[in-house]
Amino acid sequence: MSADPLLRLDAVTLSYPNGTRALAGVDLTVAAGEFLSLLGPSGCGKSTVLRLVAGLLSPTSGQVEWTRPAARGDIGFVFQEPTLMPWATIRANVRLPLDLAGVGRAEGDSRALAELEKVGLSDFADAYPRELSGGMKMRAALARALVTRPGLLLLDEPFAALDEITRLKLNDDLLALWRHGGFTVLFVTHSVFESVYLSSRIAVMGPRPGRIVGEMMVDLPPERDLATRTGTLYGAQCRAVSALLETAMAPASNTGRGAG
Ligand SMILES: Nc1ncnc2c1ncn2[C@@H]1O[C@H](COP(=O)(O)OP(=O)(O)O)[C@@H](O)[C@H]1O
Ligand SMILES: [Mg+2]
């Protein structure tokens, strides 16, 4: 991981218009080039953090500071649902961000095809989303997010709805894309095992109102594969992250309606 910060959330709080306090004092630095996972229970504000980083929301107080102003907005976003346009071919879906950026049709098509090749979908460029499996749709969503070559890729529980075999395969494919792509990843998950397998660093969030309760570098060799998942080192890292998560959850039982 590079120690060179890309962006920083500084004492960020976020209250939604209906009064829900989603975040209370989030401090988080994202380093250029790292694979950072944001791990926490459902409702702790993970998606809210991604929306703040993407500029879709503004903090109620605190700051989202970018080290290089040009990096702001240089973002690809992948959601839990692939959100492909059903009436358009896979190629046209992947080309969409380039169309919106005013890139010409011929160049857009060739860049979309190159991106589809990287995710193993070149044979499905002219297919429609309904012809693809869930895993293939997610690959297409990844290609669409990366087609503009963003510096930062935001992923919001992208594999949560997939079966386990497909999910493990996509974990490896995402890691390969990250290794060769030179972009930074901010990955949201509620899975301890997924976060340890994928990440160079993990930030653990506590229950609402969300804040970062712990951070951990993942002490595993950068190359990850099946042997990683069954190794003792992986097990030890998963236990360490689980312990952080348990600490994160503990204060909740001491507030509100009380313990038990
Ligand atoms: N648009 C919204 N309006 C009001 N409350 C919201 C909105 N979006 C999310 N919330 C609430 O904010 C909290 C954090 O939500 P979210 O960031 O989606 O959590 P997570 O992604 O960790 O599950 C939750 O209590 C959720 O119900
Ligand atoms: Mg969410």
Side-chain angles (χ1 to χ4, degrees):
M1 183 191 96
S2 151
D4 173 25
L6 177 66
L7 70 112
R8 203 174 86 208
L9 277 71
D10 187 15
V12 166
T13 70
L14 190 289
S15 297
Y16 282 104
N18 70 356
T20 301
R21 270 182 86 216
L23 301 177
V26 169
D27 293 310
L28 181 70
T29 300
V30 181
E34 75 173 329
F35 195 122
L36 173 61
S37 282
L38 208 50
L39 172 74
S42 176
C44 74
K46 304 181 294 298
S47 297
T48 302
V49 170
L50 283 196
R51 279 180 225 131
L52 281 159
V53 170
L56 301 171
L57 285 174
S58 297
T60 306
S61 67
Q63 320 263 324
V64 180
E65 294 165 3
W66 290 79
T67 313
R68 288 175 294 275
R72 186 192 297 267
D74 180 21
I75 286 171
F77 209 139
V78 178
F79 304 92
Q80 182 172 339
E81 298 299 327
T83 62
L84 301 170
M85 305 177 292
W87 62 87
T89 63
I90 295 302
R91 183 209 320 256
N93 268 285
V94 172
R95 205 186 55 221
L96 177 69
L98 299 174
D99 293 346
L100 295 174
V103 174
R105 177 71 177 262
E107 188 194 335
D109 269 337
S110 84
R111 282 171 66 177
L113 276 178
E115 220 51 52
L116 282 169
E117 199 161 315
K118 286 189 211 157
V119 298
L121 280 184
S122 3
D123 291 346
F124 293 85
D126 297 316
Y128 287 85
R130 63 173 178 276
E131 302 173 69
L132 270 55
S133 69
M136 289 158 84
K137 283 184 200 147
M138 189 46 75
R139 285 171 201 285
L142 271 169
R144 183 184 51 194
L146 291 172
V147 77
T148 54
R149 308 224 180 87
L152 176 63
L153 181 63
L154 305 176
L155 302 116
D156 195 353
E157 308 203 35
F159 310 140
L162 301 174
D163 67 86
E164 186 179 8
I165 295 165
T166 305
R167 189 166 65 241
L168 299 188
K169 178 77 178 84
L170 275 160
N171 280 177
D172 288 332
D173 293 345
L174 174 60
L175 277 180
L177 287 167
W178 170 64
R179 255 187 228 111
H180 299 124
F183 48 84
T184 307
V185 171
L186 182 52
F187 184 92
V188 159
T189 180
H190 58 246
S191 164
V192 168
F193 300 104
E194 187 171 56
S195 69
V196 172
Y197 187 74
L198 291 173
S199 313
S200 39
R201 193 162 65 95
I202 299 171
V204 177
M205 288 184 72
R208 186 167 67 86
R211 72 232 174 275
I212 308 292
V213 294
E215 292 184 13
M216 199 183 97
M217 296 296 298
V218 176
D219 182 18
L220 286 173
E223 292 293 324
R224 316 236 168 131
D225 53 22
L226 189 60
T228 310
R229 292 189 192 278
T230 51
T232 49
L233 198 50
Y234 179 66
Q237 302 283 299
C238 290
R239 273 194 297 282
V241 176
S242 300
L244 270 180
L245 201 53
E246 218 165 286
T247 321
M249 299 303 288
S253 59
N254 299 326
T255 59
R257 284 156 299 178

